[in-house]
Amino acid sequence: MTQSIIITGAGSGIGKACALAFLEAGWQVGLVGRRAAPLEAIAAEHTGALALPCDVTDAAAVEAAFDLGLSAWGRIDAVFNNAGLAVVGATIDEIAVEDWKHCLDVNVTGSFLCARAAFARMRTQDPQGGRIINNGSVSAHVPRWGSAPYTASKHAITGLTRSLSLDGRAYNIACGQIDIGNAETEIVANLRQQAEAAGEVFDPVMDVAHVASSVLHMASLPLDANVQFMTVMATTMPYIGRG
């Protein structure tokens, strides 16, 4: 049976790379993001892709998107909670309260709303169950300088993952988290090129394809097995011992 997954933040970066990997593997893929155009472009080129434009902070829009996916496929096997954003680095006294709230709204509330929508449908579908994968970050463990909003949001994701894992057991719903280091998306590539042009040292990066293959592996496991936490990063990234 063809499996289905909804991926948030699917229009670019890690989300797009994961969407393409799942499509190549034969999955039905729901593409969630705020901007419809990049989602529709992917859907136009790939059989099995379904554009589901919505803002993950809008509860009604999230419910509608998940209903569309469920209607199209008959069930939702997996969700990758990937949508997120960061705040420009600064010490806490220089961070606007509005920026803090926006970061938490997208990264935490958005993940909560999508997990909530997924859980409700996985709990009632037949056969029961499914898998929720949350995008943590190495920042869920150790911070970069000036990252209070982002780091706090990613620590919250770890709490959400643990709670979902416990609550989901009774309904055959597995939940895991992938903590990702620097991956070579278009944004990171541009930042790296700018740093190198300025003679600055940039953290090592890895091919984003390694993230996509890791998420695909997690999602492809049978529901009686689960990758609870996975960290994937460039081997020489200064993660161990960061401080």
Side-chain angles (χ1 to χ4, degrees):
M1 178 183 294
T2 301
Q3 291 187 288
S4 61
I5 185 170
I6 290 178
I7 297 176
T8 70
S12 62
I14 288 170
K16 180 178 180 180
C18 290
L20 295 177
F22 275 86
L23 287 165
E24 185 176 343
W27 285 59
Q28 302 279 356
V29 180
L31 310 166
V32 168
R34 288 184 299 109
R35 297 175 298 134
L39 308 179
E40 291 168 352
I42 296 171
E45 296 178 0
H46 296 85
T47 301
L50 176 64
L52 300 171
C54 83
D55 182 342
V56 295
T57 68
D58 183 330
V62 168
E63 291 290 326
F66 275 71
D67 278 342
L68 285 172
L70 184 62
S71 177
W73 311 315
R75 66 180 287 108
I76 297 173
D77 293 296
V79 170
F80 180 33
N81 254 331
N82 167 70
L85 57 81
V87 174
V88 174
T91 54
I92 193 167
D93 58 314
E94 297 174 324
I95 295 170
V97 173
E98 293 74 16
D99 291 341
W100 161 268
K101 289 181 176 179
H102 184 49
C103 183
L104 272 289
D105 200 25
V106 174
N107 294 6
V108 182
T109 302
S111 294
F112 167 82
L113 291 175
C114 291
R116 181 176 184 271
F119 198 103
R121 288 153 183 80
M122 292 172 178
R123 179 177 182 172
T124 57
Q125 63 192 7
D126 186 20
Q128 188 181 59
R131 188 182 308 274
I132 299 168
I133 301 171
N134 292 325
N135 184 343
S137 168
V138 294
S139 292
H141 302 273
V142 288
R144 284 186 171 89
W145 171 87
S147 66
Y150 186 77
T151 298
S153 75
K154 292 305 182 177
H155 277 66
I157 291 299
T158 299
L160 179 64
T161 298
R162 292 182 183 277
S163 185
L164 287 170
S165 296
L166 185 59
D167 292 350
R169 288 178 178 176
Y171 309 105
N172 204 28
I173 299 172
C175 183
Q177 179 171 314
I178 183 165
D179 296 322
I180 302 166
N182 293 334
E184 186 91 346
T185 61
E186 290 182 5
I187 292 175
V188 171
N190 290 335
L191 291 173
R192 179 174 55 80
Q193 291 168 8
Q194 291 171 18
E196 291 173 351
E200 300 172 354
V201 176
F202 195 78
D203 282 356
V205 300
M206 62 181 167
D207 192 322
V208 70
H210 301 315
V211 179
S213 63
S214 297
V215 176
L216 179 60
H217 166 68
M218 293 173 73
S220 299
L221 289 171
L223 288 177
D224 60 357
N226 187 43
V227 174
Q228 187 65 66
F229 292 99
M230 175 191 288
T231 300
V232 58
M233 64 181 192
T235 304
T236 55
M237 183 180 177
Y239 164 69
I240 304 299
R242 181 194 285 179

